[in-house]
Structures are given as C-alpha cells and as structure tokens.
Amino acid sequence: MPENDHIARQAELVASELFSEFFWEKVGPTNHDWPCEDQQRHEVKTHPCDVVYYYDEPYSPLRTYVHCDLKSYAKGTIQQAAVKAAAESLAKQIACADRSDDWRRLHVHEHVTYSVCGLLFVYNHDGEYEANFQSNLLGIDPEKLQLPKGARLFVLGPKEIFWLDNIRSEVQRMRGKRVPDLPPPEYCSYFHPQLIRRANLQAEKAKAATLETLTSPIIILEHRDPRGGANRG
C-alpha cells in the first residue's frame, strides 16, 4: 500500500473505532464518487464520499445521515487554507447529497424521514499538533458555504478527536474488567436530557450519541441492569 494511502487509511480506522463506540452505524459503500447535481455551480463532475454513518435523533422522528470527509494530516499540513478548502468542498457535497437520487439510493434506508449533515474529521496522524485548531476555521464564511437551508456541517479537529478517543478507550476499559463496571453495549445508551417543551420522542430507539452530544463538554453513558432489574447507571 502506498504511504499516502496508508496515512489516509489511519483516519478511516480511527473514525470507525471511535463512532462505533458511540453507536453510529455505517451505511452504503465507502470511498466512492457520485455524480454532482450542480456541475456548473460546483465546477466538478463528481463528489467524493469517504463514509456515511447514521443514527436516530432523540427529539424528532428523524434519522440523521452523517456524510464524512476524513482527513489524516501531519502537524505541518494542518493549515487554514487546507481546512477551508475541505469545508467548502464538503458543503457542496452536502448540497448535492440532499438532492441526489444516486446518493440516496446508496446510503438512505427506505421509508424513513431523514436529514443529511456533514462532518469534517481532521485527524493528526503524527500526534504532534498542539496549536489552536479553531484558528483554522476563522477564514470560513458560513454565509458563503453552499449549504442547503437548515443543513449542518460539523468539524472535529485533533483535540476533539483525541478527547473522544479517550472516552472510547475508557468505556472499553470499564467494560473489559474482570468485574465489569459497564454491561455489554446492548444494555447501554447515551443520555439525552428531557428538554422543556420538547419530548424525547425516541427514548428507546435513539441510543447513539448525536453530533451535538459529541461536541458538548459533557457526555453521559447510561445503562440498565442486564438481569432485568430496575436499577440504572
């Protein structure tokens, strides 16, 4: 495998291990291109797709599909221009995914109400990046991103990925102890607070940590007793 392919593969592996622990699921093919729906405006014939994950929303009867652009950068290549270009490209991908029959056929389940959002995942593969990643986002004008109305684009930088990976590692450690602190995954779910005037519509179905949860300062994993008791943790 060429070195560049190996480096790119690192982000894919990290994302796969990370998001599976937060109960995201992959859907459809990975690492493929699909036709652009607005070639004149986007100035490309196709868009790339690294991977699409999905989860069910807790507060609405929606399934969210997360169209990901996975970047694996060394310390010296995490630059404002590269991050801006990636975000602008991802915004175009989301705009086309929202209207593409090809993308829908490959990645969307039948008979579901859904939304599509974008995730720019910037992994630092050499572990040496210590600068303020947020400064790379200052040159991005949200008003100029070609996103559909109401669409969302999230960015996870090296610090956020490192923090989330620590959570993943700790959950697995607690579950793997001789006397486990956590039961198996099927008895666990991520906590979504009951909001005023907003019912938790899919409390049993929506087990995954949403993007809003993953980008919040606190992530709570709750679990029920595998023996069928009333105790919850």
Side-chain angles (χ1 to χ4, degrees):
M1 179 182 293
E3 183 177 2
N4 287 346
D5 289 346
H6 174 71
I7 291 173
R9 176 74 172 154
Q10 290 183 46
E12 185 177 337
L13 291 173
V14 170
S16 181
E17 292 181 359
L18 186 66
F19 294 133
S20 65
E21 195 60 62
F22 292 109
F23 300 143
W24 291 18
E25 296 188 48
K26 293 180 184 178
V27 60
T30 60
N31 300 310
H32 70 93
D33 293 339
W34 45 286
C36 175
E37 297 290 326
D38 195 351
Q39 295 184 20
Q40 183 173 359
R41 187 181 184 196
H42 292 170
E43 299 180 329
V44 295
K45 292 185 177 180
T46 62
H47 290 297
C49 173
D50 288 343
V51 62
V52 174
Y53 293 93
Y54 75 91
Y55 57 79
D56 291 313
E57 290 287 343
Y59 301 115
S60 63
L62 279 177
R63 178 162 290 176
T64 291
Y65 291 89
V66 186
H67 179 98
C68 300
D69 185 1
L70 308 177
K71 300 296 187 186
S72 183
Y73 290 150
K75 171 186 175 181
T77 56
I78 300 179
Q79 303 288 340
Q80 186 177 101
V83 174
K84 179 182 179 182
E88 291 175 345
S89 175
L90 181 57
K92 295 174 183 178
Q93 295 166 38
I94 300 309
C96 276
D98 195 54
R99 56 193 288 195
S100 169
D101 290 337
D102 290 290
W103 191 94
R104 188 181 306 111
R105 174 178 53 82
L106 292 171
H107 297 291
V108 176
H109 301 97
E110 294 184 353
H111 312 301
V112 297
T113 304
Y114 70 95
S115 65
V116 182
C117 67
L119 174 61
L120 178 57
F121 184 92
V122 183
Y123 174 65
N124 173 219
H125 65 79
D126 60 19
E128 297 181 359
Y129 187 81
E130 297 181 354
N132 177 16
F133 177 79
Q134 297 301 314
S135 64
N136 294 294
L137 306 179
L138 297 178
I140 301 173
D141 183 353
E143 298 298 325
K144 293 183 179 179
L145 292 178
Q146 297 179 25
L147 282 170
K149 184 178 180 180
R152 300 168 298 161
L153 191 157
F154 294 80
V155 180
L156 291 179
K159 183 178 179 180
E160 291 80 15
I161 293 170
F162 180 77
W163 181 66
L164 292 173
D165 195 53
N166 279 344
I167 295 174
R168 176 200 63 80
S169 179
E170 179 64 11
V171 168
Q172 292 183 345
R173 185 194 68 80
M174 294 173 69
R175 190 173 283 136
K177 293 171 64 175
R178 182 181 294 273
V179 180
D181 293 326
L182 287 174
E186 58 265 31
Y187 298 99
C188 299
S189 60
Y190 285 90
F191 175 70
H192 305 290
Q194 190 68 51
L195 302 180
I196 297 175
R197 297 182 180 178
R198 195 171 185 184
N200 191 330
L201 296 176
Q202 304 192 95
E204 296 300 323
K205 187 178 180 182
K207 295 179 55 177
T210 65
L211 271 166
E212 289 80 4
T213 299
L214 295 186
T215 52
S216 69
I218 298 175
I219 298 176
I220 299 174
L221 178 67
E222 58 180 359
H223 59 86
R224 65 183 189 276
D225 189 342
R227 297 165 296 184
N231 293 335
R232 299 179 70 91

